[in-house]
Amino acid sequence: MLSLDNAFSFDALRDFDRRVREGSGREEIEYIAEHKFDGLSISLLYEDSVLVRGLRAATARRART
């Protein structure tokens, strides 16, 4: 999970996009943006409506499922 940090210019957005594409090995990326609340970053993966993985970005620790 990458963070956009404080991007205040199109150059900063382009740099973020470049890093994501290079890191993923993909040429095209689809983004979804949401308001960020400091200290509340998690990534949840569901398969067939069942939680299979959780990750807290701040500590990079996996949640037990």
Side-chain angles (χ1 to χ4, degrees), residues 33-58:
E34 297 177 350
H35 182 75
K36 179 182 176 190
F37 295 95
D38 285 338
L40 292 174
S41 295
I42 63 171
S43 177
L44 303 175
L45 175 64
Y46 288 86
E47 292 179 358
D48 297 321
S49 300
V50 176
L51 176 65
V52 294
R53 188 177 330 150
L55 179 71
R56 296 185 305 177

Side-chain angles (χ1 to χ4, degrees), residues 3-56:
S3 176
L4 186 54
D5 293 324
N6 295 321
F8 296 108
S9 69
F10 287 115
D11 288 336
L13 290 172
R14 281 188 284 272
D15 185 52
F16 176 79
D17 178 63
R18 179 190 50 76
R19 291 192 322 266
V20 170
R21 285 184 288 112
E22 287 175 357
S24 68
R26 297 178 67 185
E27 196 59 34
E28 291 187 19
I29 303 290
E30 181 177 322
Y31 294 99
I32 297 172
E34 297 177 350
H35 182 75
K36 179 182 176 190
F37 295 95
D38 285 338
L40 292 174
S41 295
I42 63 171
S43 177
L44 303 175
L45 175 64
Y46 288 86
E47 292 179 358
D48 297 321
S49 300
V50 176
L51 176 65
V52 294
R53 188 177 330 150
L55 179 71
R56 296 185 305 177

